[in-house]
C-alpha cells in the first residue's frame, strides 16, 4: 500500500496561506511576549501550543489530500459474443446445428472462470449481456454490428474478444466496416458449413383468379435464385406440357429476387390450370421448387344483345351497325312488321332466354299481339333494358304493356329540334366519361320539349336545349332497379352524328353509345374491386405485396382510379397507402417488411367523385425467415474481422490450439489492478480532537501559571 501526497485544494495561492501562518505566529509570540512568569520553558510551551492550533486549522483550510494506492492482480478479461440466431441450429454436412454449437462451448471451457473472467453477450437483432447457458438459437434476425459495438464499449478493460458466429447477418451494416475502432484483438470462430448450394425457386404468383374469354390476362411471378449470378434462367408459362410463353432473366447478384411478367391470352372457357416453370439448371441442388401451379376461372365475356325494332327508323341501323363491329357482342336482330311477323325470324322464348341486354326501338300505340306484349313484359321485368324513342313512340302504352319509364309525363310530348346538353359532371357517372366536345356544335336531335320531366329517383345524364334555351327536358336518363339497369333515350336521329364530317363528333357518339350499352348490360351487383395479398402469410424478412384488380360500372378494366388501402393491427394504428397503377386495371402495393402480427386492411377505389368499390381482408406476418435464406457460413467476413483487429480465425471443428494462441500473445496474463483512494484531512475527526486537546492544554497551563 502506497501513500502519495497529491497537493492542496486551496482556493487562494499558497503564499497567502504562508503569510497568514507567519502573521498568526507573530501575533501569538506578541501575545505572550510579556509573560515571563514560570521561566522560559512555560513561555515557549504556550507559544508552541497556540501556534500548533493555528497551524492545524490553517492546514485544514488549505485541504491537502493524499492518494492511497493498493495494487492487486486479477484474471484476464475476455468479451465473448455468442450468435443466438436461428441459422446456427441448421444442420449441414459435419455441422450438427445446436449440438455442435454446444459441444464447441464445452470444448472451449467457457464455464470455467478460474483463470479468465468472461463477459457474455448473445447476438440476435441486438446484442444483450447474458449467461452462457441462456442461448435459445431462435433469433429471426442477426445484427453482427451490434456485437462489434458491444466489444467497442468494453474494450478499455478487456484483454481480447471472442466472436462465435456463422458470419451471416440479416440486418444492420456490414460488421467489418465497424472494426476500425477496435483496439483489442478479436478471435472469431466460425459455425456452420461453407458448402454453397445453388437453387432456383418459383417464390410466388400474382394474378386475378377470374378472367374473360379472348382477353389478355396479366401474371406476375417472383423468381428467387441463389448462386446463379450472370447465368441465363428461363422462366416458362405452361399449360400442361405446352409452353405458352418464355422469358429469360439473368441475376446480377448471387442471391437474387426478380419479378417476371406474362400476358396470357385466355382462349378457353372454364377453370383452366397453368404453371410457372423453370427448367432445372446445372449444379442446382434441387428442382422440386422450380414449378408452381395456378388456376384462372375463364368466363365468356361475350354479351348477347337483342335489338328489337318496333318502328323502322335510321337510328335502328346506326345502333345495329355499331354493335355488329364489336367482337364481344352476339347481336340478335328482330324487326317487327305486323302481327307476329318479324323480318329476321320468329320472336320466341329461345331468343330471350340468355339475353344480357335488350334494346327496344319505339313502341306503337296499337297492333302488337298479346303474345309479343307478354314476351316484352318478361324482358322488362328480368333483363337490363335500353329504350329508344322514335317518332311514333307511345310512352303511355309502353308503361302499360312492358314496364315503367324513369320520366313523368303530363300530356302529349311535342317534339322539336334540340341540342344535347351534358347535365352531370364528367366524372359523376360512368356513361358521361366522354371525349371533350363543343355541345352546341353537335348535330341536332329530335326530342320532347314539353310535358316531360325526369323522375325523382332517376339520374338525368343529358338534358336538351331548345331554340338556344336550356329547357331541362331529359334526353338520356339512367336508372338502377334491383340487380338490373334501365336506360331511356327520349331523343332520336342519332344517325345524324355519323353523317357529320367532324371526327370528334363521330368519336363522341361512338363512345357515348359504347358507354351506355356496357353500363346497362353490366350487373350492378358485380364485384368491381378485387384486392388480393400476394400471400396469406408473409415472413418478417420479405415485403408485403398486395395486388388490386379494378373494373368500372361498365365492366371494363379501370386504370384511371385511385385505390387507397388502410392497414392496421392491434398494435398499429391505421396507415394509409396508395396503390401503384400498373395499367389495364391492375394495381399493386409494395410495403417494406412489417413486424410480426395479424393485419386487417380496407381498400377503397375512387374515381373522381365516384366510389367504385371497397374491399376488406386480412393477412398475417410471421417470424422472419431471413435466417433460412442464406445458410452458408460467411468465412470471409469472420476472417476479415479477426485480421482487422489483430486476432485469428478458427473453424468450429479446429479449436485445439485456441487458448495457446491467446497465451502466446500474452492475452491471458493476470492483470495488475490498482485500487486508488484519496485521503482528505478535513474528513477525519482526529484533527479536530487534537485541536481541542491543544487548546485545553494551553488553558490548563495558563491556569497553572495564574495567567489571565
Amino acid at each position: 500500500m502506497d501513500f502519495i501526497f497529491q497537493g492542496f485544494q486551496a482556493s487562494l495561492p499558497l503564499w497567502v496561506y504562508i503569510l497568514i501562518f507567519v502573521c498568526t505566529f507573530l501575533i501569538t509570540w506578541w501575545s505572550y511576549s510579556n509573560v515571563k512568569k514560570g521561566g522560559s520553558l512555560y513561555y515557549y510551551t504556550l507559544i508552541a501550543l497556540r501556534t500548533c492550533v493555528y497551524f492545524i486549522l490553517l492546514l485544514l483550510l488549505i485541504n491537502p489530500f493524499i492518494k492511497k494506492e493498493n495494487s492487486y492482480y486479477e484474471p484476464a478479461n475476455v468479451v465473448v459474443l455468442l450468435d443466438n440466431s436461428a441459422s446456427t441450429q441448421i444442420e449441414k454436412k459435419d455441422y450438427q446445428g445446436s449440438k455442435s454449437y454446444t459441444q464447441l462451448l464445452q470444448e472451449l471451457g467457457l464455464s470455467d472462470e478460474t483463470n479468465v473472467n468472461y463477459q457474455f453477450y448473445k447476438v440476435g437483432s441486438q446484442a444483450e449481456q447474458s449467461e452462457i447457458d441462456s442461448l435459445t438459437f431462435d433469433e429471426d434476425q442477426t445484427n453482427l454490428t451490434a456485437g462489434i459495438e458491444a466489444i467497442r464499449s468494453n474494450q478499455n478493460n478487456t484483454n481480447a474478444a471472442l466472436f462465435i458466429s456463422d458470419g451471416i447477418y440479416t440486418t444492420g451494416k456490414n460488421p467489418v466496416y465497424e472494426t476500425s475502432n477496435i483496439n483489442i484483438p478479436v478471435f472469431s470462430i466460425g459455425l456452420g458449413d461453407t458448402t454453397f448450394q445453388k437453387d432456383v425457386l418459383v417464390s410466388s404468383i400474382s394474378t386475378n383468379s377470374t378472367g374473360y374469354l379472348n382477353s389478355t390476362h396479366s401474371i406476375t411471378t417472383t423468381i428467387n435464385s441463389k448462386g446463379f449470378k450472370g447465368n441465363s434462367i428461363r422462366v416458362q408459362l405452361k399449360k400442361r406440357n405446352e409452353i405458352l410463353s418464355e422469358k429469360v432473366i439473368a441475376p446480377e447478384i448471387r442471391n437474387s429476387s426478380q419479378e417476371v411478367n406474362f400476358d396470357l391470352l385466355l382462349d378457353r372457357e372454364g377453370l383452366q390450370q397453368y404453371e410457372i416453370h423453370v427448367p432445372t439448371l446445372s449444379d442446382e441442388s434441387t428442382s422440386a421448387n422450380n414449378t408452381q401451379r395456378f388456376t384462372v376461372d375463364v368466363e365468356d365475356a361475350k354479351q348477347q344483345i337483342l335489338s328489337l325494332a318496333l318502328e323502322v327508323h335510321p337510328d335502328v341501323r346506326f345502333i345495329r351497325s355499331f354493335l355488329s363491329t364489336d367482337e364481344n357482342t352476339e347481336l340478335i336482330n328482330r324487326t317487327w312488321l305486323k302481327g307476329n311477323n318479324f323480318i329476321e325470324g320468329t320472336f320466341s322464348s329461345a331468343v330471350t332466354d340468355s339475353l344480357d341486354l335488350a334494346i327496344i326501338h319505339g313502341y306503337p300505340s296499337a297492333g302488337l299481339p298479346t303474345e309479343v306484349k307478354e314476351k316484352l313484359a318478361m324482358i322488362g321485368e328480368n333483363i337490363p333494358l335500353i329504350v329508344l324513342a322514335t317518332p311514333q313512340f307511345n310512352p303511355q302504352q309502353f308503361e302499360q304493356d312492358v314496364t315503367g319509364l324513369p320520366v313523368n309525363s303530363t300530356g302529349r310530348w311535342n317534339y322539336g329540334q334540340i341540342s344535347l346538353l351534358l347535365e352531370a359532371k364528367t366524372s359523376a357517372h360512368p356513361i358521361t366519361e366522354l371525349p371533350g366536345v363543343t355541345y352546341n356544335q353537335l348535330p341536332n336531335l329530335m326530342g320532347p320539349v314539353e310535358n316531360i320531366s325526369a323522375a325523382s329517383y332517376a339520374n338525368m345524364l343529358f338534358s336538351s336545349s331548345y331554340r338556344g334555351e336550356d329547357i331541362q327536358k331529359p334526353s338520356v336518363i339512367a336508372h338502377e332497379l334491383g340487380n338490373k339497369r334501365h336506360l331511356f333515350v327520349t331523343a332520336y336521329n342519332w344517325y345524324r352524328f355519323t353523317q357529320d364530317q367532324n371526327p370528334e363528333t363521330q368519336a363522341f357518339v361512338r363512345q357515348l353509345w359504347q358507354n351506355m350499352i356496357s353500363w346497362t348490360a353490366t350487373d350492378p351487383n358485380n364485384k368491381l374491386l378485387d384486392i388480393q395479398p400476394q400471400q396469406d402469410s408473409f415472413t418478417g424478412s420479405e415485403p408485403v405485396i398486395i395486388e388490386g384488380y379494378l373494373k368500372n360500372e361498365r365492366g371494363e378494366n379501370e386504370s384511371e382510379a385511385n385505390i387507397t388501402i388502410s392497414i392496421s393491427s392491434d398494435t398499429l394504428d391505421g396507415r394509409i397507402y396508395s396503390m401503384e397503377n400498373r395499367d389495364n386495371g391492375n394495381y399493386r402495393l409494395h410495403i417494406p417488411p412489417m413486424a410480426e402480427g395479424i393485419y386487417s386492411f380496407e381498400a377503397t377505389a375512387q374515381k373522381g367523385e365516384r366510389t367504385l368499390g371497397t374491399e376488406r381482408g386480412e393477412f398475417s406476418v410471421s417470424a422472419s425467415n431471413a435466417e433460412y435464406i442464406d445458410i452458408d457460413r460467411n468465412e470471409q467476413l469472420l476472417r476479415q474481422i479477426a485480421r482487422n483487429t489483430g486476432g485469428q480465425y478458427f473453424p468450429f471443428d479446429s479449436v485445439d490450439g485456441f487458448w495457446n494462441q491467446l497465451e502466446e500473445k500474452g492475452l491471458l496474463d493476470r492483470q495488475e489492478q490498482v485500487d486508488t483512494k484519496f485521503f482528505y484531512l478535513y474528513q477525519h475527526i482526529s484533527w479536530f480532537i487534537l485541536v481541542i486537546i491543544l487548546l485545553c492544554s494551553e488553558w490548563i497551563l495558563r491556569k497553572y501559571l495564574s495567567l489571565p
Side-chain angles (χ1 to χ4, degrees), residues 326-357:
D326 185 2
E327 61 180 13
N328 290 322
T329 297
E330 180 183 344
L331 182 61
I332 302 173
N333 295 323
R334 293 293 186 270
T335 305
W336 180 64
L337 293 178
K338 61 180 179 178
N340 285 319
N341 297 324
F342 292 85
I343 296 176
E344 297 86 355
T346 60
F347 185 49
S348 62
S349 300
V351 172
T352 62
D353 283 345
S354 57
L355 290 179
D356 296 297
L357 175 67

Side-chain angles (χ1 to χ4, degrees), residues 583-631:
D583 294 329
N584 200 29
N586 297 323
Y587 296 77
R588 170 175 283 199
L589 176 62
H590 185 286
I591 308 174
M594 303 178 69
E596 185 175 355
I598 297 177
Y599 295 84
S600 59
F601 66 84
E602 181 173 354
T604 302
Q606 196 85 17
K607 183 174 183 181
E609 300 177 0
R610 305 199 319 271
T611 299
L612 300 183
T614 60
E615 178 85 332
R616 293 181 177 87
E618 65 178 26
F619 61 88
S620 64
V621 177
S622 61
S624 171
N625 69 343
E627 292 295 317
Y628 303 99
I629 295 175
D630 187 357
I631 60 174

Side-chain angles (χ1 to χ4, degrees), residues 17-29 54:
Y17 292 100
I18 295 175
L19 179 61
I20 294 173
F21 176 73
V22 172
C23 292
T24 55
F25 175 76
L26 293 176
I27 292 172
T28 303
W29 185 280
Y54 287 143

Side-chain angles (χ1 to χ4, degrees), residues 34-196:
N34 296 325
V35 180
K36 301 296 184 179
K37 185 178 180 179
S40 59
L41 177 61
Y42 294 110
Y43 169 67
Y44 289 113
T45 300
L46 289 171
I47 292 175
L49 289 172
R50 182 166 294 186
T51 300
C52 288
V53 170
Y54 287 143
F55 176 77
I56 293 171
L57 294 176
L58 186 62
L59 187 65
L60 294 175
L61 181 63
I62 62 178
N63 191 21
F65 63 100
I66 299 170
K67 181 172 68 174
K68 182 176 67 173
E69 293 183 346
N70 182 29
S71 299
Y72 62 95
Y73 290 86
E74 67 176 16
N77 293 317
V78 176
V79 172
V80 182
L81 301 181
L82 302 169
D83 193 335
N84 193 42
S85 62
S87 62
T88 61
Q89 68 171 337
I90 297 175
E91 298 181 8
K92 191 177 180 187
K93 293 195 72 176
D94 295 335
Y95 182 74
Q96 300 178 9
S98 56
K99 180 180 179 181
S100 295
Y101 197 165
T102 304
Q103 289 175 350
L104 169 65
L105 298 179
Q106 292 173 352
E107 186 176 352
L108 292 173
L110 298 178
S111 58
D112 182 7
E113 298 195 31
T114 304
N115 299 315
V116 179
N117 287 331
Y118 299 108
Q119 189 171 0
F120 296 102
Y121 286 85
K122 62 180 179 181
V123 181
S125 57
Q126 57 186 358
E128 299 178 352
Q129 193 167 354
S130 65
E131 298 298 331
I132 191 172
D133 57 356
S134 65
L135 294 177
T136 56
F137 316 109
D138 61 355
E139 293 269 3
D140 59 7
Q141 294 283 352
T142 310
N143 186 353
L144 296 185
T145 298
I148 296 297
E149 291 172 351
I151 294 175
R152 183 187 301 118
S153 63
N154 290 278
Q155 64 182 352
N156 292 334
N157 58 351
T158 302
N159 299 63
L162 175 57
F163 203 160
I164 303 177
S165 173
D166 55 17
I168 303 170
Y169 64 94
T170 59
T171 186
K173 301 177 182 177
N174 187 328
V176 174
Y177 301 147
E178 305 300 315
T179 57
S180 58
N181 295 324
I182 301 297
N183 300 323
I184 60 174
V186 178
F187 292 82
S188 56
I189 297 180
L191 304 172
D193 189 86
T194 58
T195 304
F196 184 75

